[in-house]
Amino acid sequence: MVERGIPHSFGRRAFGSDPARYDAARPDYPEWVFATLTERCGLADGTAAFEIGPGTGKASRRLLRLGARPLVAIEPDPRSAAYLRQAAPDSALQVIVATFEDAALAESAFDLGVCATAFHWLDEASALLKVARLLRPGGWWAMMWNVFGDNIRPDPFHEATKALLDAARSPSAGVAGVPFALDGKARVAALERTGAFDCIEHHARDWSLELDPDATAALYATFSDVSARRDRRAVVAELRRIAGDAFGGRVTRNMTTSLYIARRCPSPDRRSARPRR
């Protein structure tokens, strides 16, 4: 069976139609993620950072509070970019409305690069090569995801809605049932193939998200595989009904936060940002 996939181009305009609602519905990233960035990756006051696909700034605002100065945010959707500027009125924030592929950024100019729940919308190999060129030797790269669901813990709500949500899949779904963000072997291998990174680490921690019917509907309405559907309003309404009627108004979603960090090789060969054959 060939899985139906949502094209990468859709992700560049899928989340900006109602950025305030998106921002309210999506959970924050756990504190341990930012503790890792400060303790392991050197995030501190004056860290020159860039962020790919910041959206409404769920991670950006935390990076700014922890000292990212400047923080150059590359956001392809002008609606999300406008919301981000309003939600994070910090002089250290520079928002560039462009795709990461097209954004003109100074090479070897950044101490830290970050991407939060967006890297699956890019071509992994070419994007990592550009990331490597932007980082100073010894700078750090971090990509994180909040993953909804896992393949280990029981997930009754997922089972109850599986047929309803059978549609074209986001690239976040990954390959062979393994979510992109949780396929540690593939993500680490992609970093290694660049020849530009060392100190590669993958960290993942499980947690739970409790939702009432309205919060359930609001959250699922932000998912690309729901927003891409013509019948999305009916699907969201049915999700709200199931949450209320079949789950007594209390839905527990299994969550996994996945974080990858890697250091730009301190003394890189000029050829090291080319893919290994």
Side-chain angles (χ1 to χ4, degrees):
M1 182 180 69
V2 177
E3 292 187 357
R4 296 161 289 167
I6 297 173
H8 285 190
S9 58
F10 182 81
R12 301 173 185 185
R13 55 182 172 82
F15 308 106
S17 60
D18 192 341
R21 182 172 295 180
Y22 177 97
D23 197 49
R26 289 280 181 134
D28 292 328
Y29 295 95
E31 183 59 31
W32 69 263
V33 168
F34 300 100
T36 302
L37 297 186
T38 56
E39 297 166 7
R40 190 80 179 89
C41 304
L43 175 58
D45 190 39
T47 296
F50 68 90
E51 183 182 2
I52 303 171
T56 61
K58 298 295 287 188
S60 316
R61 287 168 292 202
R62 194 76 179 95
L63 294 171
L64 288 165
R65 288 196 295 271
L66 290 171
R69 315 190 75 80
L71 174 61
V72 180
I74 306 101
E75 172 54 51
D77 192 320
R79 301 165 298 179
S80 294
Y83 182 90
L84 174 57
R85 290 190 182 102
Q86 182 180 16
D90 190 314
S91 61
L93 176 67
Q94 177 188 354
V95 182
I96 297 175
V97 182
T99 64
F100 181 60
E101 297 88 339
D102 293 338
L105 300 168
E107 296 190 1
S108 300
F110 296 94
D111 306 306
L112 176 67
V114 176
C115 187
T117 313
F119 204 70
H120 53 275
W121 293 109
L122 301 176
D123 177 77
E124 183 175 37
S126 60
L128 286 176
L129 290 174
K130 184 169 183 176
V131 166
R133 292 194 298 271
L134 298 180
L135 291 170
R136 297 184 179 114
W140 285 85
W141 166 239
M143 50 188 179
M144 66 189 79
W145 285 264
N146 278 335
V147 181
F148 298 85
D150 60 42
N151 295 325
I152 300 174
R153 291 173 290 169
D155 198 332
F157 190 76
H158 172 72
E159 294 300 321
T161 58
K162 186 187 300 184
L164 175 66
L165 297 174
D166 181 24
R169 306 297 301 276
S170 160
S172 65
V175 178
V178 181
F180 185 94
L182 300 182
D183 193 344
K185 184 177 180 179
R187 303 289 75 76
V188 169
L191 285 161
E192 291 176 338
R193 280 194 297 270
T194 67
F197 295 97
D198 63 10
C199 299
I200 301 169
E201 301 176 12
H202 179 213
H203 304 270
R205 297 187 189 179
D206 298 335
W207 52 289
S208 297
L209 181 65
E210 304 292 336
L211 302 164
D212 64 22
D214 287 341
T216 300
L219 175 62
Y220 276 76
T222 71
F223 291 175
S224 58
D225 50 359
V226 172
S227 62
R229 296 176 60 149
R230 293 183 179 180
D231 61 346
R232 55 187 173 274
R233 291 185 179 178
V235 169
V236 170
E238 181 63 6
L239 288 165
R240 181 187 286 109
R241 186 198 66 77
I242 293 171
D245 293 352
F247 287 82
R250 181 183 177 87
V251 169
T252 300
R253 286 309 324 267
N254 296 334
M255 301 291 297
T256 304
T257 296
S258 183
L259 170 67
Y260 297 83
I261 60 173
R263 185 179 63 169
R264 182 70 167 97
C265 294
S267 300
D269 185 338
R270 293 182 64 87
R271 296 170 297 173
S272 64
R274 297 176 183 173
R276 290 177 175 171
R277 301 297 183 183

